[in-house]
Amino acid sequence: MNREDIFRIVAEENVKFIRLQFTDIVGVMKSISIPVEQLDKALDGELMFDGSSIEGFVRIEESDMYLIPDINTFLVLPWTSPVSAGKTIRFICDIYGSDGKPFIGCPRYALDKVLREANDMGYSMKVGPEPEFFMFPLDDKGRPSLVTHDKAGYFDMPPVDRGEDARREMVETLQNMGFEVEAAHHETAPGQHEIDFKYTDALKTADNIMTFRIVVRTVAQMHGLHATFMPKPIVGIAGSGMHMHISLFKDGENIFYDASKEDGLSDLCRYFIAGVLKHARAITAITSPTVNSYKRLVPGYEAPVYIAWSYRNRSPLIRIPARRGIGTRIEVRSPDPTCNPYLGLAVILKAGLDGISKQLTPPAPVEKNIYEMDLASRNEYGILSLPENLYEAIKELQQDDIIQEALGTHIYSRFVLAKIKEWEKFSTRVHQWEIDEYFEKF
């Protein structure tokens, strides 16, 4: 894609508007819409916005920032304006300061920085995500309810799975936007779904995750449904995760694979695993970044609670899928879909590179169901737990220099500030459980 291609497609597709998209520190996509007549100015990086209005960006006295479109993210959106009958294109943007330098608080820049570090070591990172989400019907006032619209379970089909039509349209929309969708199905819990798309370079994967969220929520709304990536909207059923399948490549070869090893895993793969396990408690603050995230990370629902790795069972933090050769990879199971994908992939990669640099040795894999092990057995295996809540995770982040380095001082300080505020708001609120438990008892 080049500038001439963009102008040609804009003319052919009757484009009327341009969305310049970027992601704030806590992982929410933002967008500025401009008329197509401003395309030249946008591509020249001349469009400014007030960065002080965005969560965690800059102070009011240093608010002028520039949106620099990445032309490789050019996309014609599949929805036509009901007013102008024209189409909209989008670019995902990098943020620059008024000094012409990349803004260190931009999450996309943070990931790119760690990817360049990996590149200096000769490695490139490939990632395939497995995002899950719930769909709930809207009430007569158009507000989302908490009553699931089906009672289906894992891999169920219609008529039990009542979300198939919406999910199918999501898949078709994603395919029309260039996604290579590998699977789509009903998940374990009622009203829960999963759509998986093919692995690719880490930065593109993070961009794709942000686009995926918008598509899922937009299509669901067209079907009278509310799609949510909240990890645990209903107690007592499985929560939504976003497992990350990760591999490193060098000169076109998957360096996690070693045919000479009995299990097919290279020493570099083991070092990478060891690095992720070492920094797992701090990583969790980024990959499970909300109060609600920790309602998912509990025993009994296949979500990881313990810091361990395995070839087969799904109770540890890291699982090794069976495929070998070019498909050799690790599956990091703790992230959930509220995670800022740029920051989540940055900290996982940074931890893995730390393991490679220091040639860390992982503990022995654990093939037992860790949920069924008592504390003494876990201690015998040296198995630690992930943080139990957001506050505990933030404390771990505050003690991990490597993960802080991946974020950079700007993002780190503002992320911690935002999450401490979130925890304080949660902690001081009176919740319905407290009313039900204490109101009449005492």
Side-chain angles (χ1 to χ4, degrees):
M1 184 66 62
N2 57 41
R3 199 178 182 109
E4 290 72 25
D5 292 330
I6 291 170
F7 277 94
R8 174 180 54 80
I9 294 171
V10 162
E12 293 174 351
E13 297 286 344
N14 188 32
V15 170
K16 297 296 184 181
F17 292 97
I18 304 165
R19 282 187 188 170
L20 302 176
Q21 299 175 341
F22 59 99
T23 301
D24 70 10
I25 286 176
V26 297
V28 176
M29 178 175 278
K30 304 293 183 178
S31 177
I32 295 175
S33 185
I34 60 174
V36 71
E37 289 78 12
Q38 299 294 311
L39 178 57
D40 254 326
K41 184 182 290 188
L43 292 178
D44 288 338
E46 296 177 359
L47 292 179
M48 300 181 68
F49 73 103
D50 180 6
S52 66
S53 301
I54 306 300
E55 179 71 57
F57 268 26
V58 293
R59 296 169 297 183
I60 193 71
E61 64 268 22
E62 42 187 39
S63 60
D64 289 340
M65 314 204 79
Y66 288 90
L67 293 167
I68 308 299
D70 181 344
I71 63 171
N72 294 314
T73 65
F74 169 82
L75 195 63
V76 179
L77 298 178
W79 304 290
T80 301
S81 166
V83 178
S84 67
K87 293 186 177 180
T88 299
I89 60 172
R90 79 91 199 263
F91 296 97
I92 294 176
C93 298
D94 295 304
I95 310 300
Y96 278 65
S98 56
D99 58 1
K101 296 179 180 179
F103 173 47
I104 59 174
C106 174
R108 204 167 186 261
Y109 172 77
L111 175 56
D112 184 64
K113 181 183 65 174
V114 184
L115 289 171
R116 283 186 274 114
E117 180 182 336
N119 187 66
D120 290 342
M121 298 170 67
Y123 311 133
S124 62
M125 184 188 193
K126 307 286 186 182
V127 183
E130 293 183 342
E132 298 170 343
F133 57 95
F134 282 89
M135 289 195 290
F136 295 96
L138 304 177
D139 63 20
D140 55 3
K141 295 182 179 179
R143 297 175 303 196
S145 69
L146 272 175
V147 180
T148 57
H149 69 301
D150 67 32
K151 299 297 182 184
Y154 199 60
F155 283 1
D156 275 346
M157 297 172 56
V160 181
D161 172 11
R162 297 178 62 184
E164 187 189 49
D165 288 344
R167 195 175 65 241
R168 179 179 296 168
E169 185 172 341
M170 292 169 188
V171 170
E172 291 175 350
T173 302
L174 290 165
Q175 289 174 323
N176 291 336
M177 296 169 75
F179 282 67
E180 186 173 342
V181 176
E182 294 191 322
H185 58 87
H186 199 285
E187 255 296 336
T188 306
Q192 188 184 34
H193 304 266
E194 177 177 316
I195 299 175
D196 306 331
F197 40 97
K198 187 177 180 180
Y199 77 90
T200 187
D201 294 334
L203 186 61
K204 185 174 181 181
T205 293
D207 289 340
N208 284 344
I209 290 170
M210 297 306 299
T211 301
F212 173 84
R213 290 178 183 171
I214 298 298
V215 170
V216 165
R217 300 191 73 174
T218 301
V219 172
Q221 193 172 46
M222 294 175 178
H223 286 258
L225 299 166
H226 172 71
T228 179
F229 293 99
M230 180 180 179
K232 192 86 165 185
I234 299 178
V235 67
I237 62 176
S240 292
M242 186 170 66
H243 304 164
M244 296 290 196
H245 292 252
I246 295 169
S247 53
L248 291 187
F249 279 68
K250 185 174 185 177
D251 299 326
E253 299 290 330
N254 185 335
I255 62 169
F256 278 3
Y257 176 62
D258 186 342
S260 69
K261 302 289 187 180
E262 183 178 352
D263 61 2
L265 300 185
S266 69
D267 289 338
L268 282 168
C269 181
R270 292 176 183 276
Y271 300 153
F272 193 98
I273 291 170
V276 175
L277 295 179
K278 175 184 176 182
H279 297 284
R281 287 177 62 82
I283 287 172
T284 306
I286 306 299
T287 57
S288 302
T290 68
V291 166
N292 184 254
S293 297
Y294 297 84
K295 309 298 175 69
R296 166 185 168 254
L297 297 178
V298 295
Y301 298 97
E302 289 197 4
V305 179
Y306 304 109
I307 302 172
W309 69 290
S310 168
Y311 295 106
R312 287 180 293 276
N313 86 70
R314 285 171 161 78
S315 57
L317 173 67
I318 294 176
R319 186 178 74 92
I320 310 298
R323 190 181 175 194
R324 293 294 180 265
I326 195 171
T328 305
R329 62 196 187 274
I330 70 169
E331 178 188 7
V332 183
R333 299 175 57 80
S334 59
D336 71 51
T338 60
C339 160
N340 182 325
Y342 303 103
L343 301 184
L345 293 180
V347 296
I348 292 172
L349 176 57
K350 184 72 173 182
L353 294 179
D354 184 53
I356 290 174
S357 297
K358 296 174 181 173
Q359 297 191 357
L360 301 178
T361 301
V366 180
E367 298 305 334
K368 295 182 178 180
N369 186 340
I370 307 178
Y371 298 141
E372 297 177 354
M373 297 170 64
D374 58 22
L375 178 59
S377 299
R378 294 199 301 272
N379 288 340
E380 182 181 343
Y381 279 87
I383 299 172
L384 300 177
S385 300
L386 292 176
E388 294 185 2
N389 55 57
L390 179 60
Y391 182 76
E392 187 179 331
I394 291 298
K395 289 299 182 184
E396 292 292 332
L397 176 59
Q398 290 176 319
Q399 298 173 33
D400 195 314
D401 293 339
I402 294 295
I403 303 306
Q404 292 176 30
E405 185 181 331
L407 300 173
T409 55
H410 183 102
I411 291 178
Y412 163 69
S413 61
R414 283 156 177 79
F415 182 88
V416 167
L417 178 62
K419 292 303 168 178
I420 289 294
K421 285 182 179 179
E422 181 178 335
W423 177 256
E424 289 174 347
K425 287 170 64 177
F426 168 75
S427 299
T428 56
R429 191 77 54 88
V430 177
H431 302 274
Q432 186 60 46
W433 181 89
E434 297 169 271
I435 300 295
D436 295 340
E437 188 75 9
Y438 305 127
F439 188 64
E440 294 185 22
K441 184 183 295 184
F442 294 102

